[in-house]
Amino acid sequence: MASTTSASIKNYALVTLAYWGFTITDGALRMLVLLYFHKIGYTPLEIASLFLFYEIFGIFANFFGGWIGSQFGLKVTLYTGIGLQVFALIMLSYVDQSWAQWLAVFYVMVAQAFSGIAKDLTKMSSKSAIRLVVPQDAQSSLFKWVAVLTGSKNALKGVGFFVGSALLTLFGFVNALWIMAGGLFLIMFTGLMLPQGMGKIKQKVKFKQLFSKSQEINILSAARFFLFGSRDVWFVVGLPVFLQSVLGWSFYQVGGFMACWVIGYGIIQSLAPTLIKKFGSGEPPQSKTIQFWTFTLTAVPCAIALALQLGLPANLVIVGGLMLFGVVFAFNSAVHSYLVLAFTDDDKVALNVGFYYMANSGGRLAGTVLSGLVYQIFGLVGCLWVSMLFVLAAALVSLKLPDPQPSQAIAWKAGGGD
């Protein structure tokens, strides 16, 4: 039994390492594309359009990725995702400023589609893997492990923001892409040490079962849609463009600040289990936990918007407001990531996690489009008011959530081929 547990942890560590490497390039690529195309004269709405396929195809990747992972194993989905990211990075390096703008936009959108598929395949694989390591009756451990994984991922995505802005400044757009592609290619070799059947289930899953989710998963997915839409509606396009064009920040300052924010957000997310246990009941999160944190988050974008409208110093308002938003949002995200696994049976983990993160991608898509559109018409304040409405919707949806009821321990074996 000890050897099985050791093998499980080793396999999960390898998956996490691969995901960490991918996450750095994902954050760097987002910052590269945003800053580079803003520099050469694209409007906020045009920049948002560059990310449309990234989010749209991420939805399909989550929906079908869960089925693929359950039938062929999580190793297939993880390293297919990493390979697609390498391809997307190389593809983007061939963008030419002499092209007609419509052609350049379409080309970048297609490359971003591959990157979106890559991101959600790797995320679904790593999040599913932890369900296969921690027994279903060990809910406190599950919460801690999920929070550490998600928090470290977000911290490294923040590192990626800084890496992207630094590479753009030091090496230029094309060379930065090739450097990242080379590093990610080397990470693919970790797949040689993973078992073929990790996460694979014996029975075949019919296509109609992809739509058959429990009420808890459906409610949580709907709340997730609005929660992540609320973040991206001002964070993806509106905030960095505002910092650079209105406040006059440099590439380094924009990338560095957003990197620090995401790193801090990730650290808080990793500490969420300890903090909730210390200041709460000491039990794993229940439905009332997510309801409290989501309703609390509703007030934050509202306060930032009011402060800007009252003419308070924008630098101070944005920095302080974003720090507060990050702390509260980190608790929301950590509890969400725990609950989706707490509501999931072992034999449906890839399917349910894939469906759940499909809703996550849908929220990001809505937030991304609205971020460019609302910012162009109403500015950052408009984005913040839309963010508040999205959080409020997530809070109202979460009122229907029951408490998780863990039942049986997990039966998957790390070294098995099925």
Side-chain angles (χ1 to χ4, degrees):
M1 181 66 182
S3 60
T4 300
T5 302
S6 176
S8 299
I9 295 174
K10 182 204 76 171
N11 292 335
Y12 180 69
L14 290 170
V15 170
T16 302
L17 177 64
Y19 188 41
W20 282 352
F22 176 91
T23 298
I24 293 176
T25 68
D26 186 54
L29 179 59
R30 177 169 288 268
M31 192 58 59
L32 270 173
V33 170
L34 193 153
L35 294 177
Y36 176 73
F37 285 95
H38 177 61
K39 177 185 177 182
I40 64 176
Y42 281 49
T43 67
L45 186 56
E46 288 169 341
I47 293 172
S49 71
L50 298 177
F51 296 102
L52 280 182
F53 281 6
Y54 177 89
E55 303 296 354
I56 290 172
F57 281 85
I59 294 173
F60 290 105
N62 276 310
F63 186 65
F64 293 105
W67 177 82
I68 295 171
S70 68
Q71 299 301 291
F72 301 100
L74 296 174
K75 179 177 178 178
V76 172
T77 52
L78 176 65
Y79 290 95
T80 297
I82 294 178
L84 284 173
Q85 181 77 335
V86 172
F87 177 78
L89 290 167
I90 295 173
M91 182 178 174
L92 275 172
S93 70
Y94 288 97
V95 174
D96 194 324
Q97 288 191 45
S98 65
W99 291 354
Q101 190 173 32
W102 69 267
L103 177 60
V105 169
F106 180 75
Y107 184 87
V108 173
M109 288 176 69
V110 172
Q112 288 285 75
F114 287 111
S115 182
I117 295 170
K119 185 260 294 184
D120 284 298
L121 283 179
T122 53
K123 180 167 67 174
M124 183 278 298
S125 302
S126 62
K127 292 292 180 72
S128 297
I130 197 170
R131 173 67 273 173
L132 304 177
V133 175
V134 183
Q136 199 172 50
D137 56 355
Q139 297 299 292
S140 295
S141 297
L142 178 61
F143 184 32
K144 181 178 180 180
W145 280 52
V146 171
V148 169
L149 169 70
T150 309
S152 63
K153 182 269 294 185
N154 284 312
L156 288 173
K157 188 171 184 178
V159 172
F161 284 167
F162 181 76
V163 168
S165 58
L167 288 176
L168 178 62
T169 303
L170 296 173
F171 301 103
F173 186 69
V174 174
N175 289 332
L177 291 168
W178 278 93
I179 290 170
M180 291 193 296
L184 199 56
F185 178 76
L186 294 177
I187 288 178
M188 292 187 69
F189 288 99
T190 58
L192 298 175
M193 294 179 280
L194 286 171
Q196 291 292 335
M198 187 174 66
K200 183 179 178 181
I201 60 176
K202 293 181 179 181
Q203 69 270 30
K204 297 297 180 183
V205 179
K206 297 180 180 179
F207 183 76
K208 66 179 182 180
Q209 290 180 263
L210 296 179
F211 300 93
S212 302
K213 307 299 173 186
S214 67
Q215 183 182 15
E216 295 88 349
I217 295 296
N218 287 334
I219 294 171
L220 201 62
S221 297
R224 184 81 172 192
F225 173 92
F226 289 110
L227 181 67
F228 274 76
S230 75
R231 183 194 66 179
D232 286 7
V233 75
W234 69 293
F235 193 79
V236 170
V237 177
L239 178 64
V241 171
F242 179 84
L243 293 176
Q244 188 178 32
S245 61
V246 177
L247 300 185
W249 291 21
S250 67
F251 286 165
Y252 265 131
Q253 289 172 320
V254 174
F257 172 69
M258 295 185 71
C260 289
W261 183 85
V262 176
I263 291 169
Y265 160 70
I267 292 172
I268 295 296
Q269 201 168 30
S270 298
L271 295 174
T274 302
L275 296 175
I276 288 178
K277 183 177 181 180
K278 182 176 180 179
F279 296 105
S281 64
E283 298 297 323
Q286 304 296 311
S287 58
K288 64 182 180 181
T289 312
I290 194 60
Q291 291 158 9
F292 168 80
W293 286 109
T294 311
F295 275 108
T296 301
L297 183 63
T298 306
V300 181
C302 175
I304 300 172
L306 287 173
L308 290 175
Q309 288 180 307
L310 291 172
L312 298 179
N315 277 301
L316 183 62
V317 170
I318 292 298
V319 173
L322 197 60
M323 289 174 61
L324 181 59
F325 186 90
V327 170
V328 182
F329 192 90
F331 278 96
N332 275 277
S333 184
V335 176
H336 256 268
S337 296
Y338 160 76
L339 287 175
V340 68
L341 298 182
F343 284 130
T344 296
D345 294 329
D346 301 331
D347 60 348
K348 296 179 180 178
V349 59
L351 294 173
N352 282 347
V353 171
F355 181 83
Y356 173 72
Y357 282 107
M358 179 184 72
N360 184 94
S361 295
R364 289 174 58 92
L365 171 62
T368 298
V369 174
L370 289 172
S371 187
L373 179 62
V374 175
Y375 182 84
Q376 192 159 320
I377 300 173
F378 300 107
L380 187 63
V381 170
C383 293
L384 287 162
W385 284 118
V386 175
S387 175
M388 187 210 70
L389 292 175
F390 268 58
V391 182
L392 181 60
L396 294 175
V397 169
S398 69
L399 291 176
K400 297 184 178 181
L401 271 179
D403 290 331
Q405 302 292 329
S407 54
Q408 57 191 30
I410 199 158
W412 175 80
K413 294 183 179 180
D418 292 330

